[in-house]
Amino acid sequence: MNEFDLIKTFFNSSQLNFSSEFVDVSIGDDCAVLDVPADQELCISADTLIENVHFPAGANAYDVGTRSLCVTLSDLAAMGAKPIGFTLAISLPKQIKEDSEWLKSFSDGLAFIAQKYDCPLIGGDTTKSSILTITIQVHGITPKGKSLKRSGAQVGDLVCVSSSCERALGDGAGALPLVLDEPTLNTGLAKSFWQPLPQIELGMLLIGKATSCLDVSDGLVQDLNHICSASQVSMELDMKKIPLSEELLNLYSKEEALNYALAGGDDYHLAFTVKDVSSMPTNVITIGRVVEKSEEGVILPNYQGPNLTGFSHF
Ligand code: ADP
Ligand code: MG
C-alpha cells in the first residue's frame, strides 16, 4: 500500500476525520484550517510517543492509539480548553507499514478517544522509520484570556486534585511495571496506563475558578513544584488526604502506593488551586493549602518515605 492509500484507508476515515463546527478544511489539503470563534483563543500542545521509550514494544495497537491521544489531550484539560482537532505525525517501521491489522487497530483506538472527546483528526504526516514514533498535536479553545495557567496560585488557596473511586493518584505509575512485564495487559490497573482519563470536562469547568492548574504527568510533588515556582508560593500537603485507588492498594503496600502517588508519573489527573471548593464536582479532593514561599516548594509534613524525585526524560 502506498502512502496515500494508507492515509486514506486508516486516517482519513469518517471515524477519525468527522465534521466539526471549528474545522473548515481537514485532511487532503496542505493545511487544516480552523475557525476559532472571535471571543476564543487557540491552545496548542504536542506530545511524542516512541516505542520502547514511552510504551513497550508488543503492545496492542489499539492501546497505543488510545494512550497517544489521551496523554496529549490531558494538556488541553490542564489549560481548561475544549478540544477542536488534532494532527498525527507517524513514523512507521516497514513491518507495521505492511500490517493492515495493526494500522486498523491503532486507528480504531485513536477514533474511540477522538469521538469520546469530540476531537477529529485534521491532518498529519506519514513517514518511514526504524522506530515506531507517534507525534500528536492537539488544538483546543478557551475564552480569551481565561486559560488556566501555572502562575496564579495565591497564599490561602486550597490545593486540589481530581480523582475518582476507580482512578486515583499513583495508578499510572503503579500500572507501569505490570505493562512492562506484559505489554498486552489492558485490564484492571493496566487500563489506567493505556487509557488515562484526560480531565477535559473538569478543566473547562475550572475556568474562572482555579487560580492555577496543570496535569500530573511527571509525579504530583514535582508537578506541584512547577506551580510553586511559577506562582512564587509554597504548598503544604496533608498526606492523609492523598487519594489512592483500591486497585493500587490491592497490589501494593500503603507506602509503595503513596510513593507512586507522590512521585510516579503518568496519572494525567489535574492538580490545581482554588479559593473555595463549595462548587466543585465530587471527584475533586482537597489535599493541601498554598502558603508563603519558603525554600521548599511542596512541603510534606511528617513525610518519612524515600526521596521524591519525580520523572525526568534526561
Ligand atoms: P504534503 O506533502 O503537502 O505535506 P502529505 O502528502 O504529507 O502532504 O499529506 C497529504 C494529506 O494527508 C495532508 O492533508 C496531510 O495533512 C494528511 N496526512 C498525512 N499523514 C497523515 C496522518 N498520519 N494522519 C492524518 N492526516 C495525514
Ligand atoms: Mg503540501
Side-chain angles (χ1 to χ4, degrees):
M1 191 180 289
N2 70 28
E3 179 194 335
F4 300 106
D5 289 336
L6 190 152
I7 294 167
K8 191 165 156 230
T9 311
F10 299 107
F11 300 129
N12 194 6
S13 64
S14 57
Q15 279 196 81
L16 270 169
N17 180 15
F18 46 88
S19 69
S20 152
E21 64 175 303
F22 305 106
V23 182
D24 283 348
V25 178
S26 191
I27 299 175
D29 222 308
D30 292 303
C31 286
V33 179
L34 296 174
D35 184 5
V36 179
D39 58 344
Q40 307 278 308
E41 57 195 352
L42 198 54
C43 302
I44 296 173
S45 177
D47 271 312
T48 292
L49 287 88
I50 304 170
E51 187 173 65
N52 274 333
V53 176
H54 301 97
F55 60 89
N60 298 307
Y62 186 93
D63 295 334
V64 175
T66 56
R67 178 170 169 80
S68 304
L69 187 51
C70 283
V71 302
T72 316
L73 284 169
S74 178
D75 285 318
L76 289 184
M79 300 299 283
K82 172 183 168 46
I84 61 170
F86 74 101
T87 60
L88 167 70
I90 189 163
S91 298
L92 299 165
K94 193 159 178 280
Q95 74 272 17
I96 290 188
K97 196 179 147 283
E98 280 154 16
D99 186 347
S100 296
E101 214 174 295
W102 193 98
L103 289 164
K104 169 80 172 77
S105 235
F106 173 75
S107 70
D108 283 349
L110 274 182
F112 175 65
I113 301 302
Q115 287 173 28
K116 186 170 172 188
Y117 294 96
D118 200 16
C119 186
L121 178 60
I122 57 173
D125 196 25
T126 306
T127 51
K128 250 190 324 191
S129 148
S130 54
I131 301 172
L132 172 62
T133 306
I134 298 153
T135 297
I136 289 184
Q137 177 154 312
V138 284
H139 306 78
I141 49 176
T142 51
K144 259 194 182 145
K146 297 280 197 261
S147 59
L148 305 172
K149 296 171 199 74
R150 300 177 174 190
S151 51
Q154 289 177 327
V155 174
D157 290 353
L158 300 168
V159 181
C160 299
V161 291
S162 59
S163 171
S164 66
C165 42
E166 73 271 33
R167 293 283 179 87
L169 293 175
D171 285 2
L176 186 61
L178 311 181
V179 167
L180 291 179
D181 192 47
E182 194 183 337
T184 54
L185 187 70
N186 58 9
T187 53
L189 198 60
K191 191 171 178 191
S192 67
F193 182 85
W194 293 116
Q195 266 184 56
L197 299 170
Q199 299 291 304
I200 297 289
E201 219 174 294
L202 176 62
M204 289 171 68
L205 189 137
L206 290 176
I207 293 242
K209 297 194 174 92
T211 51
S212 69
C213 184
L214 48 61
D215 65 323
V216 180
S217 53
D218 298 334
L220 178 70
V221 170
Q222 180 170 302
D223 284 328
L224 284 178
N225 268 317
H226 295 317
I227 293 187
C228 290
S229 311
S231 301
Q232 295 292 306
V233 295
S234 285
M235 290 174 182
E236 204 172 287
L237 302 191
D238 182 345
M239 291 293 96
K240 294 189 298 293
K241 301 269 178 62
I242 306 289
L244 302 170
S245 74
E246 249 172 57
E247 271 182 334
L248 191 66
L249 289 166
N250 282 340
L251 281 169
Y252 299 99
S253 70
K254 181 83 196 286
E255 293 80 89
E256 285 172 312
L258 188 61
N259 193 53
Y260 278 139
L262 295 173
D266 282 333
D267 280 327
Y268 304 102
H269 274 292
L270 294 185
F272 55 95
T273 55
V274 278
K275 300 268 170 237
D276 81 286
V277 287
S278 51
S279 60
M280 289 292 136
T282 51
N283 67 335
V284 167
I285 315 274
T286 304
I287 58 165
R289 191 171 275 282
V290 179
V291 297
E292 291 284 352
K293 182 176 164 60
S294 62
E295 230 164 71
E296 256 176 304
V298 175
I299 302 159
L300 307 168
N302 308 320
Y303 176 75
Q304 285 163 348
N307 245 356
L308 301 168
T309 43
F311 181 78
S312 167
H313 293 276
F314 296 104

